[in-house]
Amino acid sequence: MEGLILGIETSCDETAAAVVKGGEEILSNVVASQVEFHKKFGGVVPEIASRKHVETINLVVQEALEQAAVDFKDLAAVAVTMGPGLIGALLVGAITAQAIAYAWQLPVIGVQHLVSHLWAKFLAHRELDFPFVALLASGGHTGLIYAESAENLELLGETLDDAAGEAFDKVAKFLELGYPGGPIIDELAKQGNPRAINFPRAMLESGDYNFSLSGLKTAVVNYVKREGRERLRIPDVCASFQEALLEVLVVKTVRAAKEKGVKQIVLAGGVAANNRLREWLAEAAREAGLKLFSPPLELCTDNAAMVAAAAFPKLAKGDFLPFNAAPQANLPLSY
Ligand code: KG4
Ligand code: ZN
């Protein structure tokens, strides 16, 4: 079969493998989540993540091939996330890809993790083309990317401290709501008043596209301690926290799209699941005459189909990694 790529993703706490044909047809997309193992710690524990990847990756790859009804010998290449991410976790994926490639005489294609998130959009919306501005908000990263073309990607700004998902998780942990905190706060916020408490909107008018979210988390902690947990309506705290965090994301995303003169906005990362964010950004985009693309959740969160899709243009160009290439925890944004 033409252009079959096996994608592998292990940058954080999802062990994932997928087979994608021609850069856009998903034949399989298998994700083994480790969330149960990290739950009691209220966040991802890097050492546990690496160990679970080692235990699971072969099964996940096998499952991806079986579901796609293809064999290693049918593949044109193996694509793998080379960073950014947890270094021990990344190594498991990279070594697996390299071992498969060595055994089956296949090229290895390296993919930058944030770039792969952008490519999830092409899997979901084939009509989407460059240029666009993407808001990428997950547990590990939060930033705005200007994608002028496949090869011209500019990181307009990013969080200077906590990622958006991380802020959700930390506030939920402090309020003893459970893990991961994003979906829990999202649900509770629906029953709360977003204007009950006026939490800070840090860097809203900073004149750049960076974010700072750890001060908001501290403001929530201080407020709850000062007022006394028993006297508070937790849904109000959740709704007000969420509103403050999302306002900065929405305003800066639309501002970036206007400044860059693009007509399309793309939403990616686990926080893209947030109901209020989807609704708010859709409304803001409509008002600004912009088109919003938010792919289905399974393509927004970490997966390997997006890795295989992002690798496809490199297949034709023969842009392959040397056999012993090492992943990098801080791999910069570049195609
Ligand atoms: O992309 P993802 O699955 O994994 C990485 O971090 O790479 O994102 C997970 C993050 C977690 O921090 C989780 O709390 C957050 O996304 N999240 C949400 C929602 N669903 C997941 N945050 C806000 N609202 C949600 N509905
Ligand atoms: Zn991610």
Side-chain angles (χ1 to χ4, degrees), residues 9 11-12 113-114 116-117 136 138-141 269-270 300-302 306:
E9 150 64 33
S11 68
C12 190
H113 184 61
L114 308 189
S116 68
H117 271 297
L136 223 153
S138 73
H141 14 261
C300 275
T301 54
D302 289 346
M306 66 187 191

Side-chain angles (χ1 to χ4, degrees), residues 119 130 148-153 313 317 334-335:
W119 249 265
F130 297 97
E148 189 183 7
S149 66
E151 265 119 53
N152 289 307
L153 305 171
K317 283 194 287 186
S334 157
Y335 182 68

Side-chain angles (χ1 to χ4, degrees), residues 12-14 113 117 138-141 165-166 168-169 180-183 186 269-271 273-275 300-302:
C12 190
D13 63 338
E14 250 88 43
H113 184 61
H117 271 297
S138 73
H141 14 261
E166 189 181 359
F168 272 97
D169 294 340
D186 187 355
V271 180
N274 187 275
N275 287 287
C300 275
T301 54
D302 289 346

Side-chain angles (χ1 to χ4, degrees), residues 135 204 211 245-256 265 276-278 280-285:
L135 169 64
L204 185 61
F211 305 98
L245 189 153
L246 298 183
E247 182 170 347
V248 192
L249 298 188
V250 170
V251 168
K252 289 202 166 179
T253 303
V254 172
R255 206 178 276 163
I265 293 177
R276 179 72 182 120
L277 175 59
R278 282 180 173 250
W280 198 346
L281 198 54
E283 192 185 308

Side-chain angles (χ1 to χ4, degrees), residues 174-240:
F174 169 71
L175 295 173
E176 297 172 3
L177 300 175
Y179 176 83
I184 302 171
I185 291 182
D186 187 355
E187 272 313 298
L188 283 169
K190 289 178 186 164
Q191 302 139 41
N193 174 5
R195 279 168 299 280
I197 310 150
N198 189 18
F199 288 126
R201 271 82 169 148
M203 302 185 72
L204 185 61
E205 300 301 336
S206 60
D208 59 18
Y209 295 111
N210 290 328
F211 305 98
S212 170
L213 302 171
S214 73
L216 171 59
K217 170 198 67 197
T218 309
V220 173
V221 170
N222 289 343
Y223 181 85
V224 173
K225 283 186 176 161
R226 191 168 66 236
E227 297 295 316
R229 197 175 294 235
E230 320 68 44
R231 296 182 40 235
L232 289 172
R233 275 200 76 229
I234 294 301
D236 285 349
V237 178
C238 290
S240 301

